[in-house]
C-alpha cells in the first residue's frame, strides 16, 4: 500500500505569510494527488487536483506543484479564512489515501 | 443542484452494527461513483471504500475488510454504509462523497453533511 506523509503536522502563521506544506508518497504516484481544505465541523473542500490544477472558483493564492513522490502546496499570502486543516489525497484507480493533514493556525 | 443528504446521529453499543444512508439528488445517480470517508474526533480523514452505483461493485480499504458493507438502492438514489462489530475507535463522523471521475480527473466534488456515530457502552 502507498503511504502518504505530510509535513509539518501543524504550523502557526500570520495573515499575509507565505505558507508551504509538503506531501510525500512512499512510491511514485505520478500526479495523482489532490489537496483539500477542511474547516472545523465542515466537509473538506477541493482546492487543487492532479498536483497542480486549481479547481474552478478557488483563489489563485493557492497552488500546488510536484510529481512522483514529492509534492508541495503553497498559500502565497495567507488570509483569515485560510486557517484550516489541509489534506493531500492520492488516488489509484479504486483506492484512495489521505495524508495525515496539516493544521494551519494563527500565530 | 447536487445534494448528498445523510441520515442522522447514531449511538451504538460495542459489538453492534450501524447503517448510515446517503441520498443523492440533482444528478444521474448511476453515473458517479460514491465513497465513504470517516473522521474520528480531532483526527484526520480516513478513506473507507468506494461503490459503483451502476452495478453495486465495491472496493474497501484493507483496514475495514470483513467489517464494512457498502450497498446501493438505485430506485432511491441512495447508498448505504454498514459497519459491524463496532468498537469505541469507530466513533467518528462518517461522510459520503461523490467521485467526479471526469476526463481523467478524480476527486471528491460533493460531500454529504456527515453522520456522527458514537460507540459507547
Amino acid at each position: 500500500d502507498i503511504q502518504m506523509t505530510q509535513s509539518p503536522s501543524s504550523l502557526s502563521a500570520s495573515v499575509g505569510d507565505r505558507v508551504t506544506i509538503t506531501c510525500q508518497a512512499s512510491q511514485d504516484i505520478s500526479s495523482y494527488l489532490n489537496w483539500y481544505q477542511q474547516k472545523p465541523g465542515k466537509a473538506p473542500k477541493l482546492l487543487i487536483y492532479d498536483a497542480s490544477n486549481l479547481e474552478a472558483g478557488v483563489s489563485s493564492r493557492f497552488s500546488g506543484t510536484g510529481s512522483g513522490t514529492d509534492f508541495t502546496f503553497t498559500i502565497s499570502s495567507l488570509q483569515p479564512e485560510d486557517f484550516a486543516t489541509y489534506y493531500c489525497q492520492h488516488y489509484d484507480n479504486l483506492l484512495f489515501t489521505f495524508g495525515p493533514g496539516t493544521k494551519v493556525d494563527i500565530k | 443542484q447536487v445534494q448528498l443528504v445523510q441520515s442522522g446521529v447514531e449511538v451504538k453499543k460495542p459489538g453492534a452494527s450501524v447503517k448510515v444512508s446517503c441520498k443523492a439528488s440533482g444528478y444521474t445517480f448511476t453515473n458517479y461513483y460514491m465513497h465513504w470517508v470517516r473522521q474520528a474526533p480531532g483526527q484526520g480523514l480516513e478513506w473507507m471504500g468506494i461503490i459503483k452505483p451502476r452495478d453495486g461493485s465495491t472496493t474497501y480499504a484493507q483496514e475495514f475488510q470483513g467489517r464494512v458493507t457498502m450497498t446501493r438502492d438505485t430506485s432511491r438514489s441512495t447508498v448505504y454504509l454498514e459497519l459491524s462489530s463496532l468498537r469505541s475507535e469507530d466513533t467518528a463522523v462518517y461522510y459520503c462523497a461523490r467521485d467526479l471521475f471526469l476526463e481523467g480527473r478524480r476527486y471528491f466534488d460533493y460531500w454529504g453533511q456527515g453522520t456522527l456515530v458514537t460507540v459507547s457502552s
Side-chain angles (χ1 to χ4, degrees):
Chain A
D1 286 5
I2 294 175
Q3 306 300 317
M4 307 299 296
T5 58
Q6 281 183 242
S7 61
S9 57
S10 65
L11 65 89
S12 295
S14 301
V15 172
D17 283 353
R18 182 180 182 88
V19 168
T20 299
I21 297 167
T22 64
C23 178
Q24 188 167 56
S26 58
Q27 60 191 76
D28 189 337
I29 62 168
S30 185
S31 297
Y32 301 135
L33 192 284
N34 302 322
W35 290 96
Y36 294 83
Q37 174 194 68
Q38 188 183 32
K39 296 182 179 179
K42 300 292 187 183
K45 173 188 174 184
L46 179 81
L47 301 179
I48 302 286
Y49 65 92
D50 290 347
S52 60
N53 295 283
L54 190 68
E55 171 68 343
V58 173
S59 171
S60 59
R61 66 180 179 273
F62 298 105
S63 64
T65 62
S67 66
T69 60
D70 296 300
F71 301 85
T72 299
F73 172 80
T74 300
I75 308 173
S76 60
S77 177
L78 196 66
Q79 297 302 300
E81 60 268 30
D82 300 338
F83 292 98
T85 302
Y86 294 85
Y87 295 91
C88 60
Q89 177 201 49
H90 162 59
Y91 64 92
D92 177 13
N93 192 14
L94 298 176
L95 296 176
F96 285 68
T97 308
F98 286 97
T102 296
K103 184 177 181 180
V104 177
D105 62 23
I106 302 171
K107 182 184 285 185
Chain B
Q1 73 284 19
V2 174
Q3 281 193 300
L4 303 177
V5 179
Q6 298 184 221
S7 50
V9 172
E10 299 271 7
V11 179
K12 296 291 182 181
K13 294 194 181 305
S17 297
V18 68
K19 192 170 186 177
V20 179
S21 67
C22 170
K23 181 173 176 59
S25 61
Y27 70 96
T28 302
F29 176 69
T30 51
N31 284 359
Y32 294 83
Y33 301 169
M34 197 77 80
H35 300 258
W36 288 94
V37 176
R38 78 176 185 180
Q39 186 168 38
Q43 302 302 307
L45 302 169
E46 185 174 24
W47 180 77
M48 300 182 70
I50 181 174
I51 182 167
K52 298 180 184 181
R54 187 176 298 267
D55 62 8
S57 61
T58 55
T59 299
Y60 303 136
Q62 190 165 4
E63 309 86 272
F64 299 102
Q65 299 245 4
R67 279 208 307 144
V68 69
T69 304
M70 297 177 189
T71 55
R72 94 296 190 213
D73 182 339
T74 56
S75 68
R76 299 176 189 272
S77 297
T78 300
V79 295
Y80 301 91
L81 167 74
E82 186 167 17
L83 190 61
S84 62
S85 303
L86 290 169
R87 36 206 188 232
S88 59
E89 310 88 90
D90 294 317
T91 294
V93 174
Y94 290 75
Y95 293 101
C96 58
R98 193 183 81 160
D99 187 336
L100 177 67
F101 207 166
L102 180 66
E103 298 170 351
R105 288 178 281 162
R106 295 292 302 279
Y107 53 78
F108 302 169
D109 61 347
Y110 288 92
W111 296 68
Q113 83 276 19
T115 297
L116 175 62
V117 175
T118 300
V119 182
S120 174
S121 55

